[in-house]
């Protein structure tokens, strides 16, 4: 809609990445490789909070993005492939 690109990755696919434990970051939103909003979750996956924005020293976020992006799927593709039913969004 406004040029945003949203990608998702299955947790199982993370095992396909060498040295995955070196990536200190779990989930975040990145804007134009300039702004990062880290997202924190409970161990059971429930959302806690969104932090940030971080504007300095975001190289580790860019590194993580570059490492994960080859395994990620476009949001719409991910929803369809995983047969996820969304109550309010229709594609």
């Amino acid at each position: 809609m406004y040029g945003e690109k949203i990608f998702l990755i299955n947790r199982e696919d993370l095992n396909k990445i060498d040295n995955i434990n070196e990536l200190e970051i779990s989930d975040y939103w990145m804007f134009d490789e300039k702004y990062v909003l880290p997202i924190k979750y409970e161990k059971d996956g429930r959302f806690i909070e969104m932090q940030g924005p971080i504007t300095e020293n975001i190289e580790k976020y860019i590194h993580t993005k570059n490492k994960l992006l080859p395994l990620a799927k476009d949001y719409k593709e991910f929803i369809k492939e995983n047969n996820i039913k969304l109550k309010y969004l229709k594609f």
Side-chain angles (χ1 to χ4, degrees):
M1 197 157 127
Y2 295 101
E4 65 269 3
K5 295 178 185 176
I6 300 171
F7 295 93
L8 300 170
I9 187 168
N10 281 320
R11 291 184 191 273
E12 297 82 33
D13 289 339
L14 293 176
N15 295 329
K16 298 176 183 176
I17 297 175
D18 294 333
N19 304 320
I20 188 66
N21 294 330
E22 289 178 8
L23 303 177
E24 304 169 9
I25 302 158
S26 61
D27 194 8
Y28 61 94
W29 289 359
M30 180 183 293
F31 301 91
D32 301 326
E33 293 191 354
K34 294 180 183 177
Y35 308 98
V36 174
L37 300 171
I39 304 170
K40 294 181 87 176
Y41 297 94
E42 296 285 353
K43 289 185 181 190
D44 64 2
R46 287 181 293 142
F47 173 80
I48 298 175
E49 68 180 343
M50 186 171 283
Q51 302 173 317
I54 296 172
T55 58
E56 297 179 13
N57 302 316
I58 63 169
E59 292 80 15
K60 67 182 181 179
Y61 294 95
I62 295 171
H63 172 73
T64 299
K65 178 195 81 163
N66 292 337
K67 196 95 162 150
L68 296 177
L69 201 53
L71 293 175
K73 301 280 185 182
D74 171 77
Y75 179 75
K76 289 181 184 179
E77 182 181 349
F78 184 89
I79 297 298
K80 287 179 184 176
E81 284 184 7
N82 291 282
N83 199 29
I84 297 172
K85 304 293 183 208
L86 300 173
K87 185 174 182 179
Y88 299 107
L89 299 175
K90 303 288 184 210
F91 299 111

